[in-house]
Amino acid sequence: MTATEPRATVEEPRPAPHRARTTVLAWVTSTDHKRIGLLTLGTAVVLMISIGGLALTMRAQLAQPQLDVLSPDRYNQFFTMHGSGMIYLVMTPFAIGLGLYLVPLQIGAPNVAAPRTTMLGYWLYLGGAVTMLSGFATSSGAADHGWYAYPPLAGTRFTPGPGVDLWIAGVALAGTGMLLMAATVLWTALVKRTRGMTLLRMPVFSWSVVATNLMVIGAFPSLLVAMGILAAGRVNPAIFSDNTWNIGYQHVFWFFGHPVVYVMFFPFVGAVAEVLAVFGGRRYFGYKITVVSLLAFAALSMSVWGHHMFSTGQAENDYYSLTSILLLVPAGLEYFGFLATLLGGRLRFPTPMLFAVAFVPQFLIGGLTGIMIATPAVDYQVTDSYFIVGHWHYTLAAGSLFGFFAGFYYWFPKATGLLLRERIAKAHFWFWLVGTNATFLPMFWLGLHGMPRRIASYLPQDGFGTANLIATLGSGLLAIGTVLFVVDVVVSIVRPRRAPDDPWGGFTLEWATSSPPPPQNFDPAHPVPPIHSYAPLLDLRAGEGRA
Amino acid sequence: MDYRGVFDQVFGLQVWIAAGVFVLVTGLLLGALVLNRARRRDKLPFAAAEHNPLEITFAVFLGGAAAFLVWLSLSNNHRLDYGDTLAVAHQTGLAPGRQPVRVDVTAFQWCWSAAYPGSTTTVSGSCATPAARPVIVVPQGVPVEFALTSRDVVHAFWVPDLAVKRDAYPDHVNTLLMTFPETGQWLGRCSEYCGTYHKDMDFYVRAVPPAQYQAFVQTGALPAGAAT
Ligand code: HEM
Ligand SMILES: [Cu+2]
Ligand SMILES: [Cu+2]
């Protein structure tokens, strides 16, 4: 090693270490990225469970023909709040919050750039969540126009009542919050890397967050414009008598709406990559090509939005089909990295690894069906049917959520200093593995056999009963798995078992500091180790002849 | 246009390709797990962390696969007249005597109506029960152009058995050109969410021989004993 190790950014002054206060007030006013990150992740987990409850109720309603668990209007409110809640309030905050917690640690920075702006981002998100959900407390109920709120239906003429107003305001607030948070985390990765942490030594996870946040910055302003159009239509519904505004809204919305889909899985691809490498006991295979694919994927994602509009008769279908299908190139390269790492590893199977391994084939089902619906001749049949519902739940619930759980079990000991119980965690995994497939596989069949999405009930003669019953039973398994997940977290807190600094033999900088990390992330007892690659701790062990 | 035929061909091929990819990836994955168990490795099977020639070859292969799938998608979309985004008769270059029969279909919250240009015949219903579903009558064997619009919000005209769907917008007319080679009756549904009773917006499309169709357009009713 030469004396002039490349210095990525200016050295930050590290204030003398101090003990962090743990009062509620200290938490909610904190400017520490770890605390803001944990607040974001914690809020999103609580919301995931409650919004998942809406889904279970819907599944109960659909278990058999003509059930009366929910009235049609209630059902419509539930799918709207479930879908929009999962997207704006759960998966996006998971994605951005995980990056907020981990990126400064992984790049050896003491904190996020602009911590107060980041804090404001959290508060906007929380405010947005409360505003959106408060629609349930109004006399006409919560919003019921679906997660993309097409006008004219979402205008005051067809959907009066404050639920929609609250929804629009809430989405705008939460969207702004996520935009701020993504911007500060991106800025952190660009300017606050420690000595030796060049861009091409950032861990795959941090790169996935960079690509994610670039998409957020490119796409979320468009969401705010879309909410502006809806707000204008709430005041003056006459604008939606004009087709230009209706179809224009769809273009503006989907210009945001497609990239956000990738925001909701990129960080989990990154998390799965880290987990596969660490529990494969080897350097991640194909680092550079993975980084290039993530960036190419993010860039392409801005050009595919019209594939949501193939059946509108008002979009250039060939163009959007072309750009959408091209996505298989970066996606395929990412899979190459996954598989080569697995094939070239000495595998261990603690819970994070189980979720990461299951992510690979399950997310693949989402991707393969994605190519099908990127083909207009196929999409004319399956769009807006249960086939689509199956498709995105494979990407998001069977895919991203598995990546999220892989990350959760992997980094929980780091973030809390506590160990989870492996046996409960593994039971959670198996319930979810069987549950997701039982819930979402029958949906492809239902869609191909003519079941439209967003219907509150169906008739016996439709012949949808058996497949729906299987789906509902599957969602019951998901519910049991989720209870186990909560139990695991509670047990780990009530009967703490201390986690060591590096329980898994990790490769990246966060495993070099204490669990949980000190306020400035690294201190004299836990200095930033030298960095020569994207797996600095592996290098260190290799140097000491330990790997 | 034969939406169902094109759908079956394209989707059928894609399902085979997807199944192949899935089996390959899952096979490699399970292979890795099983080998790992069997050997209880004490060192890595291979140490390399990248292999540029292999990666680039694979990228080129993926590019080729994408090119094939794009070709498959676009050429079949052209067979369907680009999903009728362009003026229908113009696109298909139909002979003058073979101009399509037009049926004006209007969606509304929460049912459908149909009108036949040049005739006072209309079809409507309430969709509240299966018996109250409107039956849109069309001639068998000649091209039919549905002119779709909406009176209020966005709906979508979907006939699952025929694999065809097109949205119906207010202040805009979408066209859908198709031929019904056989007589018969098919269930249609609204597939774009449109409010409280979206779930009930079902209808039928019924294709009858041209002579019976003529009688229907003139009298507003199908002759007794009409083909089903
Ligand atoms: C894991 C358990 C889950 C179950 C059982 C479930 C179930 C459902 C059901 C029954 C619907 C209604 C389908 C319809 O009527 O058209 C639905 C819609 C939806 N779900 Fe999920 N879901 C789950 C997880 C997720 C996750 C993790 C996401 C992540 C973003 C998600 C996103 C959506 C969206 C966007 C919609 C569409 C809402 C709309 O049509 O506006 N779901 N889900
Ligand atoms: Cu999309
Ligand atoms: Cu509808």
Side-chain angles (χ1 to χ4, degrees), chain A residues 421-441:
Chain A
R421 301 296 189 272
E422 271 291 292
R423 287 182 55 195
I424 311 182
K426 286 198 163 140
H428 166 203
F429 168 77
W430 289 108
F431 273 104
W432 266 65
L433 184 76
V434 179
T436 39
N437 291 296
T439 307
F440 300 118
L441 210 51

Side-chain angles (χ1 to χ4, degrees), chain A residues 243 282 286 318 321 345 381 383, chain B residues 41 46 49 73 78 165 171 174:
Chain A
N243 179 54
R282 79 181 326 283
D318 279 358
S321 175
Q381 163 73 337
T383 187
Chain B
R41 301 194 161 126
F46 57 91
S73 169
H78 299 179
K165 172 177 307 116
D171 189 38
N174 268 337

Side-chain angles (χ1 to χ4, degrees), chain B residues 110 154-156 190-195 197-199 201:
Chain B
W110 285 279
V154 188
H155 304 263
C190 174
S191 69
E192 181 64 57
Y193 174 69
C194 55
Y197 296 106
H198 164 62
K199 69 186 176 70
M201 264 183 80

Side-chain angles (χ1 to χ4, degrees), chain A residues 48 51-52 54-56 58-59 62 75 78-88 90-91 145-148 264 385-386 389 392-393 396-398 401 432 436 439-440 443 451-456 471 474-475 478:
Chain A
M48 173 187 78
I51 288 166
L54 298 179
L56 286 181
M58 288 191 285
R59 282 308 334 159
L62 294 174
Y75 183 88
F78 272 37
F79 78 66
T80 300
M81 296 312 283
H82 162 75
S84 55
M86 281 292 185
I87 288 178
Y88 303 116
V90 177
M91 296 308 290
H145 44 45
W147 83 272
Y148 38 76
M264 293 187 288
S385 78
Y386 256 79
V389 182
W392 83 69
H393 282 98
L396 289 166
L401 267 188
W432 266 65
T436 39
T439 307
F440 300 118
M443 293 187 181
M451 180 162 169
R453 69 188 278 199
R454 299 173 163 176
I455 55 171
S475 67
L478 293 175

Side-chain angles (χ1 to χ4, degrees), chain B residues 42-55:
Chain B
D42 50 4
K43 67 182 195 15
L44 293 176
F46 57 91
E50 58 181 2
H51 191 293
N52 288 330
L54 195 61
E55 288 161 4

Side-chain angles (χ1 to χ4, degrees), chain A residues 257-258 261 304-305 307-308:
Chain A
H258 198 85
V261 175
V304 301
W305 75 90
H307 64 210
H308 295 267

